[in-house]
Amino acid sequence: MPAEKLQFQAETKRLLDLVVNSIYTNKEIFLRELISNASDALDKLRIESLTNTALADDKEPEIFVVPDAATKTVTISDNGIGMNRDEVIANIGTIAKSGTKDFLDKLREASNASAQELIGQFGVGFYSAFIVAEKVELITRRAGETSAVKWTSDGAGEYELDDCDKDSHGTTIILHLKPEFTGDDNEYNFTDTYELERLVKKYSDFVRYPVKMNFEVKGTGDEPSTIEIRTVNSMKPLWTRNKSDITRDEYNEFFKQQLHEWEPPQEIFHVKAEGTVEYTALVCIPAHAAQNLYYADYEAGLQLYSRHVFIMDKCKDFLPDWLRFMKGLVDSPDLPLNISREILQQSVEVKVIGRALEKNILKQLAKLLKDERERYETFWREFGKSLKIGVYNSMFDTKAKDELKDLLLFQTSHDGKLSTLAEYVERMPESQKQIYVAAGADASAIERLPQMELLRERGLEVLYLTDPVDEFTIEALHEYAEKHFQSITREDFELDDAESQKVKAEVEEIAKTQGDLLKDVKDALDGAVAEVRLTSRLKSGAVCLATGANSPSLTMEKTFAAMNNPLFKATQILELNPNHPVYKKLESLHAAGKDSPDFKAVCKTLYSVALLIEGVMPKDPVELANQVTELLTK
Ligand code: ADP
Ligand code: MG
C-alpha cells in the first residue's frame, strides 16, 4: 500500500484543537492514557488468543516507556494486539467512543469557564499525546498479520499512513515532545527517567502488566555504567489491596482510569467475600446518572476478572436491572478464564456471586439511609427512579419488593422533605387506616388540589407522587405495613372520623333531592364524564375531579398520552360541593331550564375548571376563555 494522507474526522479535529491548544491543565495524563491503551491491547491479545491459537506466542506481555533526551522523545510500546491499516483509520482517525461524543456535546453547551473544568475531568484517550507532543508517530502491527503500518501526525488537520517494518506484533508510539516539556529548566521534563517513573507509579501502578523502563546503573571506579531494566509498577490491582490502606483519592483515580468515571463517585463499595464462592467486588454509584440510563441503548454491567485477569466488560448477569447504574468490577477465582457470554449467563457461580453482591449493596444502601441521610438523599435524587422502576418491574416478585420498599423515598405534606414509607406510617394517627397519596406534576400542584384542604385541616399527611413512575410503584407495592395506599382523588376516598362521616351523611341527604340536576349536568357535558355527583370532600372548593376506583389517574393518563398511548383513559367523575355558592347558582339556572345556554355554559365552565386544577388542558381552551369573559361581563 502506498503512503497516503488522510483527514481527521470533523469531531476528532475539534477535539484535537482543544487538546493542542492546551487548555488541558493536567499535562501528565498523556502517559496514563497511552499506558492504559497498551494494557487494553494486551488484554485483547490474550482474549483473542484463547479462541485463535495462531495468535498465541511465548512472549511475556509487557509495556515499555523509554525517554530519550538526545532525540527529545518518549516512546511507549507494547506487544499487544496491534492494529492493521483499516483499524488505525477507524480507531485513531475517528471518535468511536460514545463517551467522547457526549463530552463534545456537553462542551458545546458549556460556558468557557466550565468548559475548562470539563476538559480537565475528561480523558481524551490517545489524543492526549498531543498535549505534550508536536508530532506523534505510531508504528503498529496487528497480531497474526505480517505487514506493519506507520501513522504520523502533528495533530493539525491530517495524518499520514505508510507501510513500514516491525519485527513483531504490537504498537510503538513515539512522542516528539514540544520544547517546553524537555530540559531541566522547564516545569516538566518528560525525557527524565525518574520523572517518568514517578508518573507511572502515580497513575499506572495497578496496571496488570509490567511497565518497564531502562535505568542507568553507574559503574564503580572505571567500570562503564550499565543499563538495568526494571518494572516500575507494582501490578497489584487496587481491589486486591486492603480497604483500610486505600485512600479515597486512589479509589477515585481508579474509577477514572478503569471505568472512565470522570467525576469522583458518590459511593464506593469494596466487598471481599469468602465462602461458597470467593469474590472481590469494587463497585461504585457514579456521581451522576448517564443521560441514557433508562433507554435501551444504555449498556449496563460490570467488568469481570478471574484471578486479576480481565475476562470481559459489561457483564450484565451479576446485578439486577434496578442496579444498572452501578459501575465496577468483580474478580473471582471461581470463574473460568475462558468463558463466553452465553455460558456465563447460565453459570451458577455468577448467580451466586451476583445475588451475594446484590444483597451486600442492599445492606449498604440501607445503612447509608439510616446513618447518613443526606448522602442517601443525594443518591436518591440521582438514582431513585431506578429503584422505583425496580419495584414496578418486580410486580409479582414479593422478595424483590420486600427488599426495596424500605429504600424508597417520597415527598410528603408533612414538611416537604423526603420521607420513607416507614416514617410516614410512624406518624400516622392511630385512627388512620390507609396511606394517603396524591399524584401531580410537582408538590405545589398537589398542595393546591382542592381535596387537600380537608386533609390539611384534619392534620392528615399525604404522600406526593410527582414522578410519573411513582404511581406504578405504589400500584405494584399495593400496601405497606398492612396499610393500603389510597389516592385522595379516587372516587372511593373517604375519611372515617365522626365529623367527616357527619358531613358525608348530610351531603347524601341533599343528593337524594338532586338526581335530576346531576343528570342534567352530566348530559350538558356530552359524555366527557362518567358521573356527576355531590361530594363531602371539598371545603372551600366548588368542584373537583375524581377518578374511578379501577381507572388510571389523570396524571397517569397524561403520562401515557405523552408516550402516544391514548388508550389509557381515566374514568372521570365530576364532584360538586353542594355548600358552595356556585352550586346555588347552578340550581337556579337549572330551575330556569336545563336547556338554557346559561346552564350549559356554567356546567362546562365548572368542568373545565376541574380539569385545570388537575393540570389538564380542557379540549377547547378558546371556548372556556369565551365563557369566562362572558360570565365576567354578566
Ligand atoms: P479508548 O481507549 O477509550 O477506546 P483511545 O482514544 O485511548 O480510546 O484509543 C482509541 C482506540 O485506538 C482504542 O480503542 C484502540 O482500538 C486503539 N488503540 C489505541 N492505542 C492502542 C494500542 N497501543 N494498541 C492497539 N490499539 C490501540
Ligand atoms: Mg484509551
Side-chain angles (χ1 to χ4, degrees), residues 11-199:
E11 272 178 324
T12 313
K13 172 121 184 33
R14 275 186 51 217
L15 188 58
L16 272 165
D17 286 345
L18 281 167
V19 174
V20 175
N21 292 329
S22 197
I23 341 175
Y24 223 105
T25 42
N26 188 352
K27 316 283 182 197
E28 303 173 346
I29 57 95
F30 77 95
L31 193 60
R32 75 149 196 238
E33 294 293 337
L34 298 181
I35 290 178
S36 108
N37 284 351
S39 163
D40 291 348
L42 289 164
D43 276 340
K44 283 181 200 155
L45 176 62
R46 199 182 44 71
I47 290 181
E48 257 188 52
S49 24
L50 289 174
T51 46
N52 182 357
T53 42
L55 294 186
D57 61 14
D58 50 9
K59 291 202 189 67
E60 283 299 314
E62 60 183 14
I63 300 165
F64 251 97
V65 176
V66 181
D68 186 343
T71 56
K72 298 188 171 32
T73 58
V74 183
T75 302
I76 294 115
S77 55
D78 64 72
N79 54 357
I81 189 82
M83 288 176 273
N84 58 31
R85 193 182 268 246
D86 290 343
E87 286 169 332
V88 170
I89 296 174
N91 299 337
I92 305 289
T94 43
I95 297 181
K97 282 195 293 186
S98 60
T100 312
K101 288 221 176 72
D102 268 7
F103 164 73
L104 286 173
D105 288 345
K106 271 196 196 152
L107 206 61
R108 198 168 298 150
E109 292 157 16
S111 67
N112 225 1
S114 54
Q116 298 225 4
E117 208 167 283
L118 267 176
I119 294 164
Q121 284 170 10
F122 193 86
V124 286
F126 175 77
Y127 306 111
S128 60
F130 290 101
I131 299 173
V132 297
E134 54 192 17
K135 185 174 120 183
V136 177
E137 288 173 87
L138 176 145
I139 297 157
T140 184
R141 185 175 134 190
R142 169 85 198 185
E145 297 182 18
T146 47
S147 57
V149 61
K150 178 168 155 184
W151 177 101
T152 320
S153 176
D154 59 3
E158 41 182 40
Y159 58 90
E160 238 176 78
L161 283 178
D162 203 353
D163 293 334
C164 71
D165 289 326
K166 193 175 183 308
D167 288 345
S168 59
H169 60 83
T171 303
T172 299
I173 293 166
I174 306 167
L175 307 178
H176 296 266
L177 296 166
K178 295 177 187 169
E180 64 261 40
F181 298 111
T182 63
D184 289 333
D185 300 339
N186 288 316
E187 188 188 347
Y188 290 105
N189 179 7
F190 295 128
T191 61
D192 181 80
T193 305
Y194 295 97
E195 187 151 344
L196 286 182
E197 182 194 21
R198 184 181 62 82
L199 295 183

